[in-house]
Amino acid sequence: MTHPILLLGCLIVIYFCGSQAENAFSQYWEEHIGLPLPPHWLTAKASPLSLHQIEMFMKLIEKNELSSHLHSFCKQANVACSTNTLVKNTMNDTTLPPIAQWNADRVVYEHSPKDIPLSVASQGGLPFFRESMVKEGSVMLVPDLRDPVSFRSFLPRPLASKIPFSIAQIDELKKKFGVVDESNMDEYIKATVETCKKSPIQGEQYTCVTSAEDLIDFVVEKLGHHIHIWSTGSVEGSYENVTIGAVKLIYENLSEPLVICHSQPFPFQVYFCHIFHKVKIYVVNIHARKKVNHVIMACHYDTSIWSPNHHAFKMLGFGPGLIEICHWINANVIVWTKTLG
């Protein structure tokens, strides 16, 4: 039987380690972003590792001994290793169908020739639509808003910088995390690294961030220090015919870029952050079966360089540059905009 004092001591250590990590992230945020505190859901993604733990695992990586301490590392860092497939197998709401597995066949809204797959709400409803279709009082079938990838934390920047992240180093990366060939994790790692390292077409700007600090630095570099951050409230309304409530335009400056960051399947939290131009952002109240959800909607007004074979054009007709294309922003996707005025 565990001694109560020993158990209490362990809980205190865990609490203060987590608190220390959150405070470090919040401090970095406050030093770079013109907002008082990061959203709680983003703070929750900060690495739970303490400074002591970071130093300890850094030494193991430098000595190439991390593999012998993999279970401890993955548990303490809240990252996925070995046979962990990353895919959510169960949900709190068991009335929803099984979540769609992340794979290369997922519907995308990228306009690059390879149509890189991203986490756009797609299964079970209308993934793309016209702006005029979203009116208060109308009824729409909402797709699956869930993130297909289970929750993981960022690695601290010092640790993330030690993890190989290139196509040539995939085998080394898999070895560090105990990933076997032809497993789900093997496919996810390859797909994410290929997505992140693909050659951009003319005019494209994007990056993959592997730490919370890198995420903040990229957004500040592209948008400045004074920004807003937006995300969908919850997954309520997925697979439902919902009634559209209030539709509020929250960003309409088509002359200024914005950044949309999509979570990628990987052992730790990685975001693919893409700069978009001529995009309007709305927050839409959808009246779902259980409660009202506040869902972010993005409408792309410049589709001129999108592929003519894009799924949106097949659904809605027309072609590149002729219409705007809108879609819901699903869970775990971050939208960053400049503060206007």
XYZ file of all heavy atoms in Angstrom, residues 2-81:
637
model
N 0.564 2.190 -0.846
C 1.344 3.417 -0.953
C 1.121 4.295 0.271
O -0.022 4.526 0.673
C 0.963 4.204 -2.217
O 1.115 3.357 -3.345
C 1.864 5.427 -2.371
N 2.206 4.758 0.862
C 2.102 5.617 2.033
C 1.477 6.949 1.619
O 1.882 7.557 0.635
C 3.493 5.859 2.628
C 3.430 6.414 4.028
N 3.160 7.743 4.282
C 3.599 5.816 5.236
C 3.158 7.951 5.587
N 3.432 6.792 6.190
N 0.486 7.459 2.390
C -0.205 8.700 2.026
C 0.737 9.884 1.859
O 0.556 10.707 0.969
C -1.179 8.907 3.196
C -1.391 7.553 3.764
C -0.094 6.823 3.588
N 1.750 9.988 2.732
C 2.677 11.122 2.648
C 3.498 11.046 1.371
O 3.738 12.048 0.693
C 3.594 11.154 3.893
C 2.761 11.421 5.149
C 4.687 12.219 3.724
C 3.576 11.440 6.426
N 3.933 9.814 1.010
C 4.699 9.635 -0.224
C 3.845 9.997 -1.434
O 4.304 10.664 -2.365
C 5.178 8.184 -0.339
C 5.959 7.818 -1.612
C 7.214 8.678 -1.716
C 6.316 6.334 -1.598
N 2.577 9.542 -1.418
C 1.673 9.852 -2.523
C 1.447 11.350 -2.637
O 1.466 11.918 -3.728
C 0.333 9.140 -2.309
C -0.758 9.401 -3.357
C -0.285 8.954 -4.732
C -2.039 8.669 -2.974
N 1.251 12.007 -1.490
C 1.067 13.458 -1.494
C 2.291 14.154 -2.035
O 2.189 15.112 -2.822
C 0.772 13.936 -0.075
C 0.602 15.459 0.115
C -0.574 15.957 -0.717
C 0.405 15.802 1.583
N 3.459 13.660 -1.673
C 4.699 14.256 -2.169
C 4.813 14.151 -3.678
O 5.212 15.101 -4.361
N 4.435 12.998 -4.206
C 4.476 12.803 -5.674
C 3.523 13.757 -6.376
O 3.854 14.338 -7.411
C 4.119 11.352 -6.019
S 5.352 10.144 -5.509
N 2.317 13.908 -5.814
C 1.332 14.799 -6.425
C 1.814 16.244 -6.407
O 1.613 16.987 -7.369
C -0.001 14.677 -5.680
C -0.744 13.354 -5.836
C -1.971 13.318 -4.924
C -1.155 13.133 -7.281
N 2.474 16.636 -5.326
C 2.999 17.997 -5.233
C 4.073 18.230 -6.282
O 4.111 19.264 -6.952
C 3.544 18.265 -3.808
C 2.391 18.319 -2.809
C 4.344 19.568 -3.771
C 2.840 18.418 -1.360
N 4.973 17.251 -6.457
C 6.037 17.373 -7.462
C 5.435 17.506 -8.851
O 5.841 18.351 -9.660
C 6.986 16.159 -7.396
C 7.924 16.157 -8.603
C 7.794 16.186 -6.100
N 4.438 16.665 -9.167
C 3.784 16.711 -10.481
C 3.126 18.062 -10.699
O 3.236 18.671 -11.763
C 2.742 15.574 -10.610
C 3.450 14.222 -10.647
C 1.888 15.761 -11.855
C 2.500 13.039 -10.538
N 2.451 18.566 -9.661
C 1.767 19.854 -9.775
C 2.749 20.981 -10.067
O 2.535 21.794 -10.972
C 0.989 20.149 -8.495
C 0.436 21.554 -8.454
C -0.738 21.871 -9.128
C 1.089 22.560 -7.745
C -1.251 23.161 -9.101
C 0.586 23.852 -7.716
C -0.579 24.149 -8.398
O -1.070 25.414 -8.382
N 3.836 21.022 -9.315
C 4.770 22.129 -9.483
C 5.560 22.029 -10.781
O 5.920 23.037 -11.373
C 5.718 22.225 -8.282
C 5.111 22.932 -7.106
C 4.684 22.231 -5.995
C 4.944 24.307 -7.128
C 4.101 22.882 -4.920
C 4.360 24.973 -6.055
C 3.932 24.261 -4.944
N 5.814 20.812 -11.258
C 6.468 20.653 -12.568
C 5.567 21.204 -13.664
O 6.018 21.948 -14.541
C 6.779 19.175 -12.838
S 8.188 18.540 -11.905
N 4.262 20.823 -13.609
C 3.327 21.335 -14.602
C 3.162 22.828 -14.500
O 3.118 23.539 -15.509
N 3.076 23.329 -13.291
C 2.927 24.765 -13.077
C 4.132 25.521 -13.589
O 4.013 26.584 -14.202
C 2.716 25.038 -11.588
O 2.612 26.422 -11.340
N 5.336 24.976 -13.363
C 6.567 25.610 -13.835
C 6.582 25.694 -15.356
O 6.946 26.725 -15.939
C 7.776 24.812 -13.347
C 9.135 25.433 -13.712
C 10.286 24.554 -13.293
O 10.303 23.360 -13.602
N 11.245 25.122 -12.587
N 6.162 24.613 -16.021
C 6.147 24.591 -17.489
C 5.147 25.597 -18.037
O 5.441 26.325 -18.995
C 5.812 23.184 -17.977
N 3.937 25.645 -17.439
C 2.924 26.586 -17.900
C 3.379 28.026 -17.691
O 3.141 28.897 -18.527
C 1.604 26.331 -17.168
C 0.906 25.052 -17.615
C -0.470 24.910 -17.002
O -0.912 25.859 -16.317
O -1.110 23.870 -17.211
N 4.034 28.283 -16.560
C 4.514 29.634 -16.287
C 5.579 30.054 -17.291
O 5.617 31.208 -17.720
C 5.073 29.716 -14.864
C 3.986 29.670 -13.811
O 2.818 29.943 -14.099
N 4.351 29.296 -12.597
N 6.452 29.111 -17.694
C 7.487 29.424 -18.673
C 6.867 29.778 -20.020
O 7.294 30.734 -20.683
C 8.442 28.239 -18.815
N 5.843 29.011 -20.412
C 5.167 29.301 -21.678
C 4.438 30.637 -21.612
O 4.512 31.447 -22.547
C 4.188 28.184 -22.015
C 3.318 28.477 -23.206
C 3.862 28.543 -24.473
C 1.963 28.703 -23.050
C 3.066 28.832 -25.573
C 1.159 28.985 -24.139
C 1.713 29.044 -25.400
N 3.732 30.873 -20.520
C 2.998 32.132 -20.361
C 3.940 33.328 -20.386
O 3.621 34.373 -20.956
C 2.196 32.120 -19.053
O 1.205 31.112 -19.085
N 5.105 33.173 -19.773
C 6.079 34.259 -19.772
C 6.576 34.543 -21.183
O 6.694 35.710 -21.597
C 7.255 33.913 -18.867
C 8.321 35.015 -18.784
C 9.467 34.651 -17.861
O 9.402 33.676 -17.131
N 10.536 35.444 -17.900
N 6.858 33.474 -21.957
C 7.325 33.655 -23.339
C 6.230 34.330 -24.172
O 6.510 35.193 -25.003
C 7.704 32.309 -23.949
C 8.546 32.427 -25.208
C 9.921 32.533 -25.127
C 7.955 32.441 -26.473
C 10.703 32.649 -26.265
C 8.716 32.560 -27.613
C 10.086 32.663 -27.508
O 10.851 32.802 -28.646
N 4.994 33.921 -23.930
C 3.858 34.522 -24.624
C 3.779 36.018 -24.331
O 3.668 36.847 -25.236
C 2.585 33.812 -24.196
C 1.303 34.425 -24.675
C 0.643 35.484 -24.117
C 0.522 34.035 -25.814
N -0.502 35.770 -24.807
C -0.601 34.891 -25.863
C 0.655 33.040 -26.777
C -1.569 34.777 -26.851
C -0.322 32.925 -27.753
C -1.414 33.787 -27.782
N 3.819 36.381 -23.065
C 3.673 37.777 -22.662
C 4.813 38.645 -23.189
O 4.621 39.829 -23.465
C 3.597 37.872 -21.136
C 2.306 37.294 -20.558
C 2.266 37.371 -19.050
O 3.075 38.128 -18.479
O 1.428 36.688 -18.443
N 5.987 38.059 -23.362
C 7.128 38.817 -23.865
C 7.034 39.088 -25.363
O 7.692 39.989 -25.869
C 8.428 38.050 -23.575
C 8.795 38.007 -22.089
C 9.976 37.089 -21.823
O 10.407 36.381 -22.773
O 10.457 37.075 -20.680
N 6.221 38.305 -26.084
C 6.198 38.417 -27.543
C 4.840 38.784 -28.127
O 4.777 39.276 -29.257
C 6.662 37.091 -28.170
C 8.091 36.755 -27.882
N 8.497 36.202 -26.699
C 9.211 36.920 -28.640
C 9.802 36.024 -26.734
N 10.254 36.436 -27.887
N 3.764 38.512 -27.422
C 2.418 38.725 -27.949
C 1.736 39.840 -27.169
O 1.821 39.908 -25.948
C 1.564 37.433 -27.834
C 2.205 36.288 -28.631
C 0.144 37.686 -28.306
C 2.177 36.448 -30.130
N 1.030 40.700 -27.878
C 0.348 41.821 -27.248
C -0.971 41.449 -26.625
O -1.968 42.160 -26.756
N -1.023 40.307 -25.947
C -2.203 39.844 -25.209
C -1.740 39.419 -23.825
O -0.621 38.934 -23.660
C -2.868 38.662 -25.931
C -3.534 38.947 -27.285
C -3.983 37.637 -27.927
C -4.720 39.887 -27.128
N -2.583 39.603 -22.801
C -2.138 39.331 -21.433
C -1.766 37.883 -21.163
O -0.743 37.594 -20.561
C -3.334 39.783 -20.575
C -4.507 39.750 -21.500
C -3.963 40.117 -22.846
N -2.599 36.933 -21.606
C -2.361 35.527 -21.345
C -2.771 34.690 -22.552
O -3.710 35.036 -23.272
C -3.156 35.060 -20.124
C -2.693 35.563 -18.749
C -3.713 35.158 -17.688
C -1.320 35.024 -18.396
N -2.094 33.576 -22.793
C -2.522 32.684 -23.876
C -3.819 31.993 -23.509
O -4.133 31.833 -22.317
C -1.364 31.680 -23.976
C -0.742 31.686 -22.626
C -0.904 33.071 -22.093
N -4.607 31.566 -24.491
C -5.824 30.805 -24.193
C -5.482 29.544 -23.402
O -4.414 28.952 -23.601
C -6.382 30.463 -25.576
C -5.726 31.415 -26.515
C -4.396 31.725 -25.940
N -6.377 29.137 -22.531
C -6.096 27.986 -21.667
C -5.837 26.719 -22.466
O -4.999 25.888 -22.093
C -7.252 27.763 -20.683
C -8.537 27.346 -21.336
N -8.857 26.035 -21.573
C -9.574 28.076 -21.820
C -10.023 25.958 -22.165
N -10.503 27.168 -22.331
N -6.548 26.557 -23.597
C -6.374 25.348 -24.391
C -5.010 25.307 -25.078
O -4.490 24.226 -25.363
C -7.489 25.208 -25.427
C -7.699 26.422 -26.297
C -8.588 27.441 -26.092
C -6.989 26.758 -27.500
N -8.483 28.379 -27.084
C -7.509 27.991 -27.969
C -5.973 26.139 -28.223
C -7.046 28.617 -29.123
C -5.506 26.764 -29.380
C -6.041 27.976 -29.819
N -4.415 26.478 -25.320
C -3.072 26.510 -25.891
C -2.030 26.317 -24.797
O -1.026 25.627 -25.003
C -2.844 27.839 -26.624
C -1.518 27.975 -27.385
C -1.372 26.856 -28.413
C -1.432 29.333 -28.080
N -2.282 26.906 -23.635
C -1.375 26.705 -22.504
C -1.289 25.225 -22.147
O -0.225 24.724 -21.760
C -1.868 27.503 -21.278
O -1.967 28.880 -21.624
C -0.913 27.356 -20.109
N -2.401 24.509 -22.302
C -2.423 23.079 -21.972
C -1.498 22.274 -22.869
O -1.104 21.156 -22.512
C -3.854 22.543 -22.086
N -1.134 22.818 -24.021
C -0.246 22.117 -24.941
C 1.231 22.323 -24.604
O 2.103 21.680 -25.181
C -0.491 22.577 -26.378
C -1.828 22.169 -26.950
C -1.994 22.705 -28.365
C -3.311 22.231 -28.952
N -3.312 20.771 -29.174
N 1.520 23.252 -23.684
C 2.906 23.484 -23.289
C 3.489 22.212 -22.693
O 2.796 21.418 -22.059
C 2.981 24.625 -22.280
N 4.760 22.006 -22.878
C 5.400 20.813 -22.344
C 5.291 20.775 -20.825
O 5.536 21.778 -20.149
C 6.878 20.784 -22.745
O 7.541 19.711 -22.083
N 4.922 19.628 -20.257
C 4.845 19.507 -18.801
C 6.202 19.283 -18.138
O 6.282 19.190 -16.907
C 3.943 18.282 -18.608
C 4.211 17.442 -19.814
C 4.450 18.410 -20.946
N 7.263 19.184 -18.928
C 8.579 18.880 -18.379
C 9.144 20.056 -17.588
O 9.039 21.212 -18.008
C 9.558 18.517 -19.501
C 9.251 17.236 -20.290
C 10.266 17.048 -21.402
C 9.246 16.014 -19.366
N 9.764 19.754 -16.457
C 10.456 20.771 -15.669
C 11.837 21.029 -16.272
O 12.305 20.276 -17.146
C 10.614 20.298 -14.225
O 11.497 19.179 -14.166
N 12.500 22.060 -15.817
C 13.847 22.373 -16.315
C 14.799 21.217 -16.028
O 15.653 20.883 -16.863
C 14.355 23.666 -15.675
C 13.624 24.949 -16.075
C 14.167 26.140 -15.299
C 13.757 25.197 -17.577
N 14.650 20.627 -14.860
C 15.509 19.488 -14.511
C 15.279 18.321 -15.471
O 16.235 17.674 -15.929
C 15.224 19.052 -13.068
C 15.891 17.752 -12.688
N 17.256 17.648 -12.482
C 15.368 16.498 -12.502
C 17.550 16.392 -12.188
N 16.423 15.683 -12.181
N 14.011 18.028 -15.763
C 13.702 16.934 -16.682
C 14.215 17.226 -18.087
O 14.724 16.335 -18.770
C 12.193 16.698 -16.706
C 11.638 16.104 -15.422
C 10.123 16.119 -15.393
O 9.487 17.079 -15.848
N 9.532 15.047 -14.870
N 14.100 18.453 -18.518
C 14.606 18.839 -19.842
C 16.105 18.589 -19.924
O 16.612 17.999 -20.895
C 14.292 20.318 -20.145
C 12.782 20.526 -20.283
C 14.994 20.779 -21.428
C 12.370 21.977 -20.386
N 16.819 19.030 -18.915
C 18.269 18.836 -18.890
C 18.630 17.350 -18.892
O 19.558 16.917 -19.581
C 18.864 19.520 -17.657
C 18.774 21.044 -17.701
C 19.239 21.678 -16.402
O 19.657 20.921 -15.494
O 19.191 22.913 -16.294
N 17.883 16.567 -18.121
C 18.156 15.129 -18.040
C 17.944 14.450 -19.394
O 18.804 13.670 -19.859
C 17.241 14.500 -16.997
C 17.384 12.979 -16.867
S 16.264 12.288 -15.632
C 14.664 12.594 -16.417
N 16.822 14.757 -20.069
C 16.548 14.125 -21.354
C 17.462 14.665 -22.458
O 17.771 13.951 -23.414
C 15.079 14.288 -21.720
C 14.144 13.482 -20.869
C 13.100 14.080 -20.169
C 14.316 12.108 -20.758
C 12.241 13.334 -19.379
C 13.457 11.341 -19.962
C 12.426 11.961 -19.265
N 17.894 15.905 -22.334
C 18.868 16.450 -23.284
C 20.161 15.636 -23.244
O 20.737 15.286 -24.285
C 19.170 17.913 -22.951
C 18.086 18.887 -23.342
S 18.188 19.394 -25.079
C 19.637 20.443 -25.011
N 20.606 15.316 -22.046
C 21.836 14.534 -21.898
C 21.670 13.143 -22.477
O 22.588 12.607 -23.114
C 22.222 14.461 -20.420
C 22.689 15.789 -19.839
C 22.998 15.668 -18.354
C 23.439 17.011 -17.776
N 23.688 16.924 -16.316
N 20.492 12.546 -22.271
C 20.242 11.213 -22.831
C 20.258 11.242 -24.355
O 20.777 10.320 -24.997
C 18.897 10.683 -22.322
C 18.821 10.307 -20.841
C 17.398 9.927 -20.458
C 19.779 9.163 -20.524
N 19.674 12.291 -24.950
C 19.675 12.414 -26.414
C 21.094 12.589 -26.928
O 21.507 11.967 -27.923
C 18.785 13.589 -26.856
C 17.311 13.270 -26.583
C 18.982 13.900 -28.340
C 16.358 14.411 -26.884
N 21.870 13.448 -26.253
C 23.255 13.696 -26.673
C 24.107 12.441 -26.582
O 25.026 12.236 -27.380
C 23.856 14.819 -25.820
C 23.234 16.182 -26.111
C 23.610 17.238 -25.082
O 24.308 16.881 -24.101
O 23.206 18.403 -25.241
N 23.794 11.576 -25.604
C 24.531 10.315 -25.449
C 23.911 9.194 -26.274
O 24.386 8.055 -26.213
C 24.556 9.912 -23.977
C 25.332 10.869 -23.079
C 25.265 10.395 -21.626
C 26.000 11.341 -20.687
N 25.911 10.882 -19.274
N 22.849 9.505 -27.002
C 22.129 8.520 -27.807
C 21.578 7.394 -26.931
O 21.587 6.219 -27.320
C 23.033 7.949 -28.911
C 22.231 7.346 -30.053
O 21.093 7.740 -30.311
N 22.814 6.377 -30.731
N 21.079 7.756 -25.742
C 20.565 6.769 -24.798
C 19.077 6.963 -24.501
O 18.544 6.350 -23.574
C 21.363 6.849 -23.485
C 22.835 6.497 -23.644
C 23.610 6.650 -22.346
O 23.001 7.105 -21.342
O 24.814 6.339 -22.329
N 18.411 7.791 -25.281
C 17.003 8.052 -25.010
C 16.151 6.799 -25.148
O 15.193 6.596 -24.398
C 16.468 9.142 -25.946
C 15.013 9.559 -25.732
C 14.849 10.210 -24.353
C 14.543 10.510 -26.824
N 16.501 5.941 -26.104
C 15.697 4.749 -26.366
C 15.579 3.843 -25.148
O 14.564 3.169 -24.960
C 16.278 3.963 -27.543
O 17.621 3.587 -27.280
N 16.593 3.841 -24.313
C 16.557 2.993 -23.122
C 15.723 3.604 -22.005
O 15.470 2.957 -20.986
C 17.977 2.722 -22.616
O 18.633 3.934 -22.301
N 15.298 4.851 -22.174
C 14.443 5.526 -21.192
C 13.165 6.035 -21.863
O 12.553 6.992 -21.412
C 15.186 6.708 -20.552
C 16.433 6.325 -19.814
N 17.623 6.056 -20.461
C 16.663 6.156 -18.483
C 18.546 5.748 -19.561
N 17.989 5.794 -18.363
N 12.769 5.354 -22.935
C 11.690 5.861 -23.783
C 10.356 5.927 -23.049
O 9.622 6.917 -23.171
C 11.565 4.990 -25.038
C 10.758 5.579 -26.196
C 11.357 6.900 -26.647
C 10.713 4.595 -27.369
N 10.034 4.899 -22.298
C 8.737 4.883 -21.609
C 8.620 6.054 -20.642
O 7.595 6.749 -20.604
C 8.556 3.562 -20.863
C 7.274 3.491 -20.083
N 6.045 3.306 -20.692
C 7.025 3.607 -18.744
C 5.099 3.303 -19.767
N 5.661 3.484 -18.578
N 9.671 6.279 -19.876
C 9.673 7.386 -18.921
C 9.571 8.729 -19.629
O 8.810 9.610 -19.223
C 10.950 7.337 -18.074
O 11.040 8.469 -17.237
N 10.324 8.871 -20.729
C 10.310 10.123 -21.480
C 8.925 10.409 -22.045
O 8.388 11.521 -21.899
C 11.337 10.055 -22.614
C 11.242 11.194 -23.598
C 11.586 12.484 -23.231
C 10.795 10.967 -24.894
C 11.486 13.537 -24.132
C 10.693 12.013 -25.799
C 11.045 13.297 -25.412
N 8.328 9.413 -22.677
C 7.033 9.616 -23.323
C 5.941 9.927 -22.311
O 5.068 10.768 -22.558
C 6.663 8.390 -24.148
S 7.765 8.116 -25.553
N 5.999 9.265 -21.178
C 4.997 9.495 -20.147
C 5.136 10.879 -19.535
O 4.152 11.621 -19.380
C 5.107 8.420 -19.071
C 4.024 8.514 -18.007
C 4.128 7.364 -17.015
C 3.018 7.445 -15.972
N 3.099 6.317 -14.997
N 6.367 11.261 -19.200
C 6.583 12.545 -18.542
C 6.398 13.718 -19.496
O 5.949 14.794 -19.088
C 7.978 12.586 -17.919
C 8.159 11.605 -16.775
C 9.543 11.675 -16.161
O 10.024 12.746 -15.800
N 10.202 10.518 -16.034
N 6.731 13.522 -20.765
C 6.631 14.603 -21.753
C 5.261 14.663 -22.418
O 4.984 15.592 -23.183
C 7.710 14.445 -22.819
N 4.400 13.659 -22.143
C 3.083 13.555 -22.764
C 3.188 13.539 -24.291
O 2.574 14.323 -25.008
C 2.159 14.692 -22.324
C 0.739 14.502 -22.837
O 0.245 13.382 -22.922
N 0.087 15.591 -23.220
N 4.015 12.619 -24.800
C 4.150 12.425 -26.240
C 3.858 10.967 -26.549
O 3.785 10.121 -25.656
C 5.557 12.823 -26.746
C 5.822 14.289 -26.458
C 6.640 11.963 -26.120
N 3.668 10.665 -27.837
C 3.283 9.319 -28.260
C 4.494 8.566 -28.785
O 5.277 9.104 -29.558
C 2.211 9.399 -29.341
N 4.641 7.344 -28.345
C 5.776 6.540 -28.779
C 5.339 5.127 -29.138
O 4.223 4.716 -28.838
C 6.829 6.463 -27.673
S 7.506 8.045 -27.187
